[in-house]
Protein backbone atom coordinates (compact mmCIF):
# COMPACT_ATOMS: atom_id res chain seq x y z
CA UNK A 1 0.00 0.00 0.00
CA UNK A 2 2.78 2.40 1.00
CA UNK A 3 4.62 1.60 -2.16
CA UNK A 4 1.61 2.42 -4.29
CA UNK A 5 1.36 5.84 -2.68
CA UNK A 6 4.96 6.70 -3.46
CA UNK A 7 4.93 5.44 -7.00
CA UNK A 8 5.12 8.27 -9.61
CA UNK A 9 5.24 10.89 -6.88
CA UNK A 10 6.48 13.53 -9.31
CA UNK A 11 3.47 13.08 -11.52
CA UNK A 12 1.18 13.17 -8.50
CA UNK A 13 2.70 16.46 -7.25
CA UNK A 14 2.39 17.95 -10.70
CA UNK A 15 -1.24 16.89 -10.82
CA UNK A 16 -1.85 18.45 -7.40
CA UNK A 17 -0.29 21.73 -8.45
CA UNK A 18 -2.32 21.73 -11.64
CA UNK A 19 -5.50 21.09 -9.67
CA UNK A 20 -4.67 23.88 -7.22
CA UNK A 21 -4.03 26.36 -10.02
CA UNK A 22 -7.24 25.27 -11.69
CA UNK A 23 -9.08 25.88 -8.41
CA UNK A 24 -7.58 29.37 -8.11
CA UNK A 25 -8.55 30.13 -11.67
CA UNK A 26 -12.13 28.99 -11.11
CA UNK A 27 -12.37 30.97 -7.86
CA UNK A 28 -11.08 34.11 -9.53
CA UNK A 29 -13.37 33.70 -12.44
CA UNK A 30 -16.38 33.31 -10.15
CA UNK A 31 -15.36 35.99 -7.55
CA UNK A 32 -12.51 38.11 -8.92
CA UNK A 33 -10.67 40.84 -6.99
CA UNK A 34 -11.86 44.31 -8.03
CA UNK A 35 -11.53 47.94 -6.89
CA UNK A 36 -14.10 50.58 -6.06
CA UNK A 37 -13.77 54.22 -5.00
CA UNK A 38 -15.94 55.77 -2.32
CA UNK A 39 -16.14 59.59 -2.13
CA UNK A 40 -16.66 62.06 0.70
CA UNK A 41 -15.48 59.86 3.54
CA UNK A 42 -15.11 62.00 6.71
CA UNK A 43 -11.81 61.84 8.59
CA UNK A 44 -11.88 61.70 12.39
CA UNK A 45 -9.00 63.38 14.20
CA UNK A 46 -7.88 61.26 17.17
CA UNK A 47 -5.85 62.36 20.20
CA UNK A 48 -6.27 66.07 19.45
CA UNK A 49 -5.16 66.73 23.03
CA UNK A 50 -1.57 66.32 21.83
CA UNK A 51 -1.97 69.83 20.43
CA UNK A 52 -4.76 71.41 22.50
CA UNK A 53 -3.21 70.65 25.90
CA UNK A 54 -0.46 73.17 25.12
CA UNK A 55 -2.95 76.02 24.55
CA UNK A 56 -2.67 75.51 20.84
CA UNK A 57 -5.31 74.74 18.23
CA UNK A 58 -5.35 73.21 14.80
CA UNK A 59 -7.21 73.97 11.62
CA UNK A 60 -7.75 71.41 8.85
CA UNK A 61 -6.70 72.87 5.50
CA UNK A 62 -7.73 72.40 1.89
CA UNK A 63 -10.76 70.28 2.72
CA UNK A 64 -8.60 67.31 3.69
CA UNK A 65 -11.03 66.34 6.44
CA UNK A 66 -12.93 64.39 3.77
CA UNK A 67 -11.24 61.93 1.41
CA UNK A 68 -11.90 59.49 -1.38
CA UNK A 69 -11.11 55.88 -0.52
CA UNK A 70 -10.22 53.23 -3.10
CA UNK A 71 -10.90 49.70 -1.80
CA UNK A 72 -9.51 46.51 -3.36
CA UNK A 73 -11.44 43.34 -2.46
CA UNK A 74 -13.32 40.49 -4.02
CA UNK A 75 -16.35 41.44 -5.95
CA UNK A 76 -18.71 39.79 -3.51
CA UNK A 77 -17.23 41.81 -0.64
CA UNK A 78 -17.24 45.09 -2.58
CA UNK A 79 -20.93 44.65 -3.28
CA UNK A 80 -21.59 44.65 0.47
CA UNK A 81 -19.40 47.62 1.40
CA UNK A 82 -20.95 51.10 1.52
CA UNK A 83 -19.42 54.48 2.33
CA UNK A 84 -20.89 54.27 5.84
CA UNK A 85 -18.80 51.15 6.56
CA UNK A 86 -15.49 52.90 5.89
CA UNK A 87 -13.70 54.49 8.84
CA UNK A 88 -10.99 57.09 8.17
CA UNK A 89 -8.91 58.28 11.12
CA UNK A 90 -5.92 60.54 11.59
CA UNK A 91 -3.95 60.14 14.83
CA UNK A 92 -2.52 63.45 16.01
CA UNK A 93 0.30 61.50 17.70
CA UNK A 94 1.63 60.71 14.23
CA UNK A 95 1.83 64.39 13.25
CA UNK A 96 4.96 65.18 11.26
CA UNK A 97 6.39 68.39 9.83
CA UNK A 98 3.91 70.13 12.17
CA UNK A 99 1.41 70.04 9.33
CA UNK A 100 0.53 66.50 8.17
CA UNK A 101 -1.22 63.52 9.76
CA UNK A 102 -1.33 60.14 7.94
CA UNK A 103 -4.82 58.80 7.29
CA UNK A 104 -5.59 55.21 8.24
CA UNK A 105 -8.48 53.35 6.61
CA UNK A 106 -10.34 50.47 8.24
CA UNK A 107 -13.51 48.66 7.19
CA UNK A 108 -14.71 46.79 10.28
CA UNK A 109 -16.33 43.44 9.55
CA UNK A 110 -15.04 43.11 6.01
CA UNK A 111 -11.95 41.41 4.51
CA UNK A 112 -10.17 43.42 1.85
CA UNK A 113 -6.80 43.46 0.18
CA UNK A 114 -6.11 47.20 0.40
CA UNK A 115 -7.78 50.55 1.09
CA UNK A 116 -6.09 53.80 0.11
CA UNK A 117 -7.12 57.34 0.99
CA UNK A 118 -6.77 60.23 -1.42
CA UNK A 119 -5.27 62.48 -0.16
CA UNK A 120 -3.18 60.26 2.09
CA UNK A 121 -2.65 62.93 4.78
CA UNK A 122 -4.73 65.48 6.64
CA UNK A 123 -3.17 68.91 6.21
CA UNK A 124 -3.35 71.01 9.38
CA UNK A 125 -2.29 74.43 10.51
CA UNK A 126 -1.27 74.62 14.16
CA UNK A 127 -1.18 77.93 15.99
CA UNK A 128 -1.46 79.45 19.42
CA UNK A 129 -4.88 80.05 20.93
CA UNK A 130 -6.04 83.58 21.71
CA UNK A 131 -8.90 85.08 23.74
CA UNK A 132 -10.62 88.39 23.18
CA UNK A 133 -13.77 90.07 24.50
CA UNK A 134 -16.44 91.53 22.21
CA UNK A 135 -19.69 93.47 22.77
CA UNK A 136 -22.77 91.56 21.64
CA UNK A 137 -24.82 93.37 18.99
CA UNK A 138 -28.51 92.47 18.83
CA UNK A 139 -30.44 92.27 15.55
CA UNK A 140 -34.10 91.35 15.14
CA UNK A 141 -36.18 89.79 12.40
CA UNK A 142 -39.94 89.75 11.98
CA UNK A 143 -42.62 92.18 13.12
CA UNK A 144 -44.29 92.47 16.50
CA UNK A 145 -48.07 92.34 16.83
CA UNK A 146 -50.15 95.32 15.66
CA UNK A 147 -50.46 98.01 18.32
CA UNK A 148 -46.91 97.45 19.56
CA UNK A 149 -43.45 98.55 18.59
CA UNK A 150 -40.01 97.39 19.61
CA UNK A 151 -38.53 99.24 22.54
CA UNK A 152 -35.19 98.23 24.03
CA UNK A 153 -33.46 95.06 22.88
CA UNK A 154 -30.49 94.08 25.01
CA UNK A 155 -28.26 91.04 25.17
CA UNK A 156 -27.73 89.32 28.51
CA UNK A 157 -24.79 89.25 29.01
CA UNK A 158 -23.77 92.24 26.92
CA UNK A 159 -20.22 90.98 26.24
CA UNK A 160 -18.66 87.62 25.41
CA UNK A 161 -15.11 86.31 25.65
CA UNK A 162 -14.20 84.16 22.64
CA UNK A 163 -11.29 81.71 22.52
CA UNK A 164 -9.82 80.09 19.41
CA UNK A 165 -6.99 80.13 16.88
CA UNK A 166 -5.24 83.48 16.83
CA UNK A 167 -5.82 83.99 13.10
CA UNK A 168 -9.58 83.40 13.52
CA UNK A 169 -9.94 85.61 16.61
CA UNK A 170 -8.13 88.44 14.81
CA UNK A 171 -10.68 88.27 11.98
CA UNK A 172 -13.69 88.80 14.25
CA UNK A 173 -15.13 92.30 13.80
CA UNK A 174 -18.46 91.87 15.58
CA UNK A 175 -20.52 89.30 17.44
CA UNK A 176 -24.26 89.28 16.73
CA UNK A 177 -27.20 87.75 18.60
CA UNK A 178 -30.20 87.56 16.28
CA UNK A 179 -33.76 86.94 17.50
CA UNK A 180 -37.13 86.62 15.79
CA UNK A 181 -39.78 88.92 17.30
CA UNK A 182 -42.65 87.93 15.01
CA UNK A 183 -45.99 88.17 16.77
CA UNK A 184 -44.64 89.35 20.15
CA UNK A 185 -47.17 91.23 22.29
CA UNK A 186 -45.35 91.37 25.62
CA UNK A 187 -41.87 91.83 27.02
CA UNK A 188 -39.86 88.65 26.47
CA UNK A 189 -36.49 87.03 27.09
CA UNK A 190 -35.48 85.02 24.02
CA UNK A 191 -32.63 82.52 23.62
CA UNK A 192 -30.22 83.54 20.87
CA UNK A 193 -27.30 82.00 19.01
CA UNK A 194 -24.12 84.00 18.54
CA UNK A 195 -22.83 84.60 15.03
CA UNK A 196 -19.35 85.94 14.29
CA UNK A 197 -18.58 88.32 11.40
CA UNK A 198 -15.45 89.81 9.87
CA UNK A 199 -14.98 93.42 8.79
CA UNK A 200 -16.56 92.66 5.39
CA UNK A 201 -19.67 91.27 7.12
CA UNK A 202 -18.81 87.71 6.10
CA UNK A 203 -19.83 85.03 8.60
CA UNK A 204 -16.98 83.26 10.40
CA UNK A 205 -17.43 79.58 11.20
CA UNK A 206 -17.77 78.94 14.93
CA UNK A 207 -16.47 75.38 14.62
CA UNK A 208 -13.07 76.22 16.14
CA UNK A 209 -14.32 78.84 18.57
CA UNK A 210 -15.41 78.58 22.18
CA UNK A 211 -16.83 81.23 24.52
CA UNK A 212 -17.30 81.81 28.21
CA UNK A 213 -21.10 81.49 28.19
CA UNK A 214 -21.09 77.73 28.73
CA UNK A 215 -24.47 75.96 28.66
CA UNK A 216 -26.35 79.11 29.67
CA UNK A 217 -25.76 80.84 26.35
CA UNK A 218 -27.03 84.33 25.60
CA UNK A 219 -30.54 85.71 25.98
CA UNK A 220 -32.00 88.84 24.42
CA UNK A 221 -34.38 90.87 26.58
CA UNK A 222 -37.02 92.48 24.37
CA UNK A 223 -39.13 95.38 25.64
CA UNK A 224 -42.30 96.33 23.76
CA UNK A 225 -44.10 99.67 23.76
CA UNK A 226 -47.74 100.32 22.98
CA UNK A 227 -48.50 102.63 20.05
CA UNK A 228 -51.20 105.23 19.49
CA UNK A 229 -52.05 107.92 16.96
CA UNK A 230 -52.00 111.31 18.67
CA UNK A 231 -53.41 114.53 17.14
CA UNK A 232 -51.09 117.50 16.56
CA UNK A 233 -52.15 121.09 17.10
CA UNK A 234 -50.19 124.25 16.29
CA UNK A 235 -50.57 127.58 18.08
CA UNK A 236 -50.85 129.98 15.11
CA UNK A 237 -51.41 133.12 17.15
CA UNK A 238 -47.96 134.41 16.16
CA UNK A 239 -48.52 134.06 12.40
CA UNK A 240 -48.98 137.53 10.86
CA UNK A 241 -49.41 139.03 7.39
CA UNK A 242 -47.75 142.09 5.84
CA UNK A 243 -49.56 145.38 5.53
CA UNK A 244 -52.35 145.14 3.01
CA UNK A 245 -52.67 141.38 3.47
CA UNK A 246 -54.48 139.06 5.84
CA UNK A 247 -53.89 135.46 6.87
CA UNK A 248 -56.46 133.41 5.05
CA UNK A 249 -55.51 129.96 6.33
CA UNK A 250 -52.88 128.12 8.37
CA UNK A 251 -52.59 124.36 7.99
CA UNK A 252 -50.08 121.71 9.05
CA UNK A 253 -49.25 118.21 8.01
CA UNK A 254 -49.33 115.59 9.34
CA UNK A 255 -52.24 116.35 11.62
CA UNK A 256 -51.46 113.32 13.80
CA UNK A 257 -48.39 111.30 14.64
CA UNK A 258 -47.84 107.76 15.89
CA UNK A 259 -46.18 107.55 19.29
CA UNK A 260 -44.83 104.62 21.27
CA UNK A 261 -44.70 104.41 25.05
CA UNK A 262 -46.22 102.94 28.17
CA UNK A 263 -49.93 102.25 27.76
CA UNK A 264 -51.00 104.45 30.68
CA UNK A 265 -48.95 107.39 29.35
CA UNK A 266 -50.49 107.16 25.90
CA UNK A 267 -54.04 106.75 27.25
CA UNK A 268 -53.67 109.99 29.21
CA UNK A 269 -52.30 111.92 26.23
CA UNK A 270 -54.90 114.03 24.39
CA UNK A 271 -52.58 115.66 21.87
CA UNK A 272 -49.24 117.26 21.06
CA UNK A 273 -49.22 121.06 20.95
CA UNK A 274 -46.56 123.05 19.11
CA UNK A 275 -46.23 126.45 20.83
CA UNK A 276 -46.46 129.78 19.03
CA UNK A 277 -42.78 130.62 19.54
CA UNK A 278 -41.81 127.54 17.48
CA UNK A 279 -43.54 128.95 14.37
CA UNK A 280 -41.63 131.88 12.87
CA UNK A 281 -44.02 133.11 10.17
CA UNK A 282 -44.52 136.86 10.36
CA UNK A 283 -45.28 139.77 8.00
CA UNK A 284 -45.77 137.51 4.99
CA UNK A 285 -47.23 138.57 1.66
CA UNK A 286 -47.33 135.17 -0.01
CA UNK A 287 -47.83 131.55 0.91
CA UNK A 288 -45.08 130.58 3.37
CA UNK A 289 -44.02 127.18 4.72
CA UNK A 290 -41.95 126.26 7.77
CA UNK A 291 -40.78 122.89 9.06
CA UNK A 292 -40.99 122.38 12.83
CA UNK A 293 -39.27 119.56 14.70
CA UNK A 294 -41.89 118.06 17.01
CA UNK A 295 -39.40 116.03 19.08
CA UNK A 296 -38.90 118.64 21.85
CA UNK A 297 -42.64 118.67 22.53
CA UNK A 298 -43.12 114.93 23.05
CA UNK A 299 -44.10 113.90 26.60
CA UNK A 300 -41.51 112.13 28.69
CA UNK A 301 -41.62 108.38 28.24
CA UNK A 302 -42.79 108.50 24.62
CA UNK A 303 -41.04 108.41 21.28
CA UNK A 304 -41.92 108.52 17.61
CA UNK A 305 -42.64 105.16 15.98
CA UNK A 306 -41.06 106.55 12.81
CA UNK A 307 -37.83 108.16 13.93
CA UNK A 308 -37.67 110.09 10.65
CA UNK A 309 -41.22 111.40 11.01
CA UNK A 310 -40.36 114.24 13.37
CA UNK A 311 -41.05 117.14 10.99
CA UNK A 312 -44.35 119.02 10.90
CA UNK A 313 -44.87 121.25 7.83
CA UNK A 314 -46.77 124.45 8.71
CA UNK A 315 -48.24 126.35 5.74
CA UNK A 316 -49.66 129.86 5.98
CA UNK A 317 -51.68 131.37 3.12
CA UNK A 318 -52.39 135.07 2.71
CA UNK A 319 -54.84 137.20 0.81
CA UNK A 320 -54.72 140.89 -0.04
CA UNK A 321 -57.49 142.90 1.44
CA UNK A 322 -60.45 142.39 -0.80
CA UNK A 323 -59.02 139.17 -2.24
CA UNK A 324 -59.16 135.47 -1.55
CA UNK A 325 -56.44 132.95 -2.39
CA UNK A 326 -56.76 129.33 -3.55
CA UNK A 327 -54.26 126.52 -4.06
CA UNK A 328 -55.34 124.66 -7.20
CA UNK A 329 -54.08 121.06 -7.66
CA UNK A 330 -52.63 120.56 -11.15
CA UNK A 331 -54.60 117.33 -11.34
CA UNK A 332 -57.82 119.33 -11.55
CA UNK A 333 -56.80 121.13 -14.76
CA UNK A 334 -59.02 120.49 -17.77
CA UNK A 335 -57.08 120.07 -21.05
CA UNK A 336 -58.57 121.49 -24.25
CA UNK A 337 -57.56 120.92 -27.89
CA UNK A 338 -54.95 118.23 -27.20
CA UNK A 339 -53.74 116.51 -30.37
CA UNK A 340 -54.93 112.91 -30.74
CA UNK A 341 -51.31 111.82 -31.20
CA UNK A 342 -50.17 113.30 -27.88
CA UNK A 343 -50.80 112.70 -24.20
CA UNK A 344 -50.03 114.73 -21.07
CA UNK A 345 -47.34 113.02 -18.95
CA UNK A 346 -46.86 115.65 -16.24
CA UNK A 347 -47.08 119.21 -14.98
CA UNK A 348 -43.70 120.69 -14.06
CA UNK A 349 -42.92 120.13 -10.38
CA UNK A 350 -46.50 119.07 -9.67
CA UNK A 351 -46.97 121.83 -7.07
CA UNK A 352 -50.36 123.43 -6.53
CA UNK A 353 -51.07 126.70 -8.38
CA UNK A 354 -51.61 129.73 -6.09
CA UNK A 355 -54.37 132.00 -7.36
CA UNK A 356 -55.68 135.30 -5.93
CA UNK A 357 -59.21 136.42 -6.69
CA UNK A 358 -60.48 139.91 -5.88
CA UNK A 359 -63.96 141.33 -5.51
CA UNK A 360 -66.71 142.15 -3.03
CA UNK A 361 -66.09 140.44 0.29
CA UNK A 362 -69.57 138.95 0.36
CA UNK A 363 -69.00 137.14 -2.94
CA UNK A 364 -65.47 136.11 -1.91
CA UNK A 365 -66.72 134.61 1.34
CA UNK A 366 -69.06 132.25 -0.54
CA UNK A 367 -66.51 131.34 -3.22
CA UNK A 368 -65.08 127.80 -2.89
CA UNK A 369 -62.30 125.96 -4.76
CA UNK A 370 -64.85 123.57 -6.26
CA UNK A 371 -66.59 126.59 -7.87
CA UNK A 372 -63.59 127.35 -10.08
CA UNK A 373 -63.16 125.93 -13.59
CA UNK A 374 -59.45 125.59 -14.45
CA UNK A 375 -58.27 124.79 -17.98
CA UNK A 376 -55.41 125.04 -20.47
CA UNK A 377 -55.55 125.25 -24.26
CA UNK A 378 -52.94 123.10 -26.07
CA UNK A 379 -53.98 123.95 -29.62
CA UNK A 380 -50.52 125.36 -30.44
CA UNK A 381 -48.67 122.42 -28.89
CA UNK A 382 -48.38 119.96 -31.78
CA UNK A 383 -45.26 117.97 -30.88
CA UNK A 384 -43.94 116.09 -27.87
CA UNK A 385 -42.01 118.27 -25.43
CA UNK A 386 -42.32 120.76 -22.56
CA UNK A 387 -44.55 123.83 -22.93
CA UNK A 388 -45.29 126.70 -20.56
CA UNK A 389 -48.92 127.62 -21.15
CA UNK A 390 -51.33 130.09 -19.48
CA UNK A 391 -53.97 128.74 -17.12
CA UNK A 392 -57.53 129.96 -17.66
CA UNK A 393 -59.65 130.30 -14.50
CA UNK A 394 -63.38 130.75 -14.96
CA UNK A 395 -65.46 132.02 -12.02
CA UNK A 396 -69.06 131.00 -11.32
CA UNK A 397 -71.97 133.28 -12.17
CA UNK A 398 -72.63 134.12 -8.51
CA UNK A 399 -69.15 135.72 -8.38
CA UNK A 400 -69.78 137.98 -11.33
CA UNK A 401 -68.10 140.97 -9.69
CA UNK A 402 -64.93 139.03 -8.85
CA UNK A 403 -61.82 138.85 -11.00
CA UNK A 404 -58.67 136.73 -11.10
CA UNK A 405 -55.86 139.03 -10.03
CA UNK A 406 -52.91 136.71 -10.71
CA UNK A 407 -51.54 135.57 -14.02
CA UNK A 408 -50.88 131.83 -13.71
CA UNK A 409 -48.93 129.57 -16.05
CA UNK A 410 -48.03 125.90 -15.83
CA UNK A 411 -45.36 123.78 -17.53
CA UNK A 412 -46.94 120.79 -19.26
CA UNK A 413 -45.00 117.81 -20.63
CA UNK A 414 -46.40 116.10 -23.72
CA UNK A 415 -45.35 112.78 -25.19
CA UNK A 416 -46.34 110.71 -28.19
CA UNK A 417 -49.42 108.59 -27.56
CA UNK A 418 -48.75 104.85 -27.74
CA UNK A 419 -51.41 102.82 -29.54
CA UNK A 420 -52.19 99.12 -29.34
CA UNK A 421 -50.71 98.70 -32.83
CA UNK A 422 -47.48 100.35 -31.69
CA UNK A 423 -47.25 97.96 -28.74
CA UNK A 424 -47.76 94.95 -31.01
CA UNK A 425 -45.09 96.18 -33.42
CA UNK A 426 -42.68 96.79 -30.55
CA UNK A 427 -43.26 93.27 -29.19
CA UNK A 428 -42.65 91.78 -32.67
CA UNK A 429 -39.38 93.72 -32.92
CA UNK A 430 -38.27 92.46 -29.50
CA UNK A 431 -39.09 88.88 -30.49
CA UNK A 432 -37.12 89.18 -33.73
CA UNK A 433 -34.09 90.64 -31.96
CA UNK A 434 -34.16 87.77 -29.41
CA UNK A 435 -34.37 85.15 -32.12
CA UNK A 436 -38.01 84.23 -31.28
Amino acid sequence: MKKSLTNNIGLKLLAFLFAFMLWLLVVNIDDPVDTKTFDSIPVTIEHAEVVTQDQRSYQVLDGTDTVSVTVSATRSVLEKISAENIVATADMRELYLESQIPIEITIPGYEFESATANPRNVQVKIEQNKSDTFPITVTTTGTVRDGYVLGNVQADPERVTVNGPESVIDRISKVVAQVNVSGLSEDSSIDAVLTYYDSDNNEISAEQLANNLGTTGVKVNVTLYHTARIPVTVDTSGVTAADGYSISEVTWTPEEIQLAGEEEVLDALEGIRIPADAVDITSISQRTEQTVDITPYLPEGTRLVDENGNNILVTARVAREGTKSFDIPVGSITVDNLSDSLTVSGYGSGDDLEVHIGGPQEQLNSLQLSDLTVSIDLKECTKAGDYEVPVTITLPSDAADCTVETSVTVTVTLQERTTAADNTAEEDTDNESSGG
Side-chain angles (χ1 to χ4, degrees):
M1 181 70 176
K2 181 178 180 182
K3 186 176 180 181
S4 64
L5 289 173
T6 57
N7 285 341
N8 300 319
I9 189 168
L11 290 174
K12 291 177 179 178
L13 288 172
L14 182 62
F16 175 77
L17 290 172
F18 178 76
F20 178 73
M21 293 177 64
L22 182 62
W23 176 80
L24 285 177
L25 180 63
V26 171
V27 168
N28 277 286
I29 290 175
D30 289 343
D31 194 11
V33 174
D34 205 349
T35 60
K36 185 176 180 180
T37 299
F38 300 85
D39 296 321
S40 301
I41 306 299
V43 180
T44 301
I45 306 293
E46 295 182 337
H47 301 290
E49 68 275 5
V50 171
V51 170
T52 58
Q53 67 185 0
D54 295 328
Q55 293 300 308
R56 297 186 299 169
S57 59
Y58 67 89
Q59 180 180 358
V60 178
L61 303 178
D62 304 326
T64 54
D65 53 350
T66 59
V67 294
S68 297
V69 176
T70 300
V71 179
S72 178
T74 59
R75 182 176 296 170
S76 61
V77 172
L78 284 178
E79 289 175 351
K80 298 176 183 178
I81 295 175
S82 66
E84 290 74 19
N85 302 131
I86 300 174
V87 178
T89 58
D91 193 332
M92 190 68 79
R93 294 175 299 184
E94 299 182 19
L95 175 70
Y96 66 96
L97 299 178
E98 285 291 301
S99 63
Q100 300 189 55
I101 314 171
I103 298 173
E104 180 182 354
I105 303 297
T106 59
I107 312 176
Y110 294 92
E111 293 185 1
F112 57 95
E113 292 197 2
S114 65
T116 306
N118 182 27
R120 294 178 178 271
N121 299 292
V122 174
Q123 305 289 329
V124 294
K125 176 183 179 181
I126 297 177
E127 57 184 312
Q128 285 298 125
N129 274 355
K130 180 180 179 179
S131 294
D132 204 351
T133 301
F134 301 89
I136 298 175
T137 302
V138 177
T139 62
T140 63
T141 60
T143 305
V144 299
R145 188 170 296 181
D146 288 345
Y148 297 87
V149 67
L150 276 178
N152 295 324
V153 286
Q154 188 172 32
D156 180 20
E158 297 182 32
R159 302 178 72 83
V160 60
T161 299
V162 186
N163 179 270
E166 184 175 15
S167 62
V168 179
I169 296 296
D170 288 344
R171 287 177 56 210
I172 297 175
S173 175
K174 64 179 178 179
V175 179
V176 174
Q178 185 178 83
V179 292
N180 189 336
V181 298
S182 295
L184 284 188
S185 59
E186 60 183 3
D187 296 350
S188 302
S189 181
I190 306 174
D191 291 326
V193 176
L194 294 180
T195 306
Y196 307 95
Y197 293 92
D198 63 17
S199 58
D200 294 323
N201 214 35
N202 297 314
E203 185 175 339
I204 298 173
S205 172
E207 184 177 349
Q208 294 180 272
L209 300 175
N211 60 55
N212 65 327
L213 302 183
T215 58
T216 304
V218 62
K219 292 183 179 294
V220 173
N221 298 321
V222 180
T223 302
L224 298 186
Y225 292 140
H226 288 264
T227 63
R229 292 195 171 277
I230 306 298
V232 176
T233 59
V234 178
D235 185 344
T236 62
S237 60
V239 177
T240 61
D243 291 342
Y245 292 84
S246 61
I247 300 296
S248 62
E249 184 182 35
V250 181
T251 60
W252 54 89
T253 183
E255 295 182 347
E256 63 177 16
I257 57 172
Q258 191 173 17
L259 291 185
E262 298 294 337
E263 186 173 15
E264 56 272 18
V265 175
L266 295 179
D267 288 345
L269 188 59
E270 295 182 357
I272 306 297
R273 181 176 177 81
I274 296 177
D277 59 9
V279 183
D280 184 17
I281 301 178
T282 58
S283 301
I284 59 174
S285 59
Q286 59 183 354
R287 182 178 65 185
T288 302
E289 297 178 342
Q290 182 188 350
T291 299
V292 179
D293 184 358
I294 200 172
T295 307
Y297 312 109
L298 300 181
E300 185 176 354
T302 66
R303 66 177 178 84
L304 292 165
V305 171
D306 180 5
E307 295 180 354
N308 296 318
N310 60 309
N311 289 329
I312 303 298
L313 180 64
V314 181
T315 302
R317 296 172 175 83
V318 297
R320 288 197 304 274
E321 295 177 358
T323 67
K324 187 173 184 178
S325 62
F326 294 93
D327 289 331
I328 301 175
V330 292
S332 65
I333 297 175
T334 300
V335 178
D336 296 328
N337 299 316
L338 176 63
S339 170
D340 291 340
S341 64
L342 299 174
T343 182
V344 176
S345 64
Y347 293 96
S349 63
D351 293 338
D352 293 348
L353 306 176
E354 186 175 9
V355 175
H356 296 275
I357 298 175
Q361 196 62 47
E362 183 179 350
Q363 293 184 19
L364 291 176
N365 290 340
S366 63
L367 188 61
Q368 303 297 320
L369 177 63
S370 57
D371 298 328
L372 307 181
T373 301
V374 185
S375 63
I376 54 176
D377 189 339
L378 301 182
K379 182 178 180 180
E380 304 298 325
C381 306
T382 58
K383 297 181 180 179
D386 294 333
Y387 298 89
E388 185 173 3
V389 296
V391 177
T392 299
I393 300 171
T394 304
L395 303 179
S397 58
D398 56 0
D401 298 325
C402 295
T403 58
V404 179
E405 296 193 354
T406 50
S407 177
V408 182
T409 62
V410 66
T411 300
V412 59
T413 300
L414 304 181
Q415 65 180 23
E416 297 288 342
R417 185 182 298 276
T418 301
T419 65
D422 293 334
N423 290 333
T424 302
E426 184 176 347
E427 290 176 2
D428 290 342
T429 301
D430 291 340
N431 290 335
E432 290 176 3
S433 63
S434 63

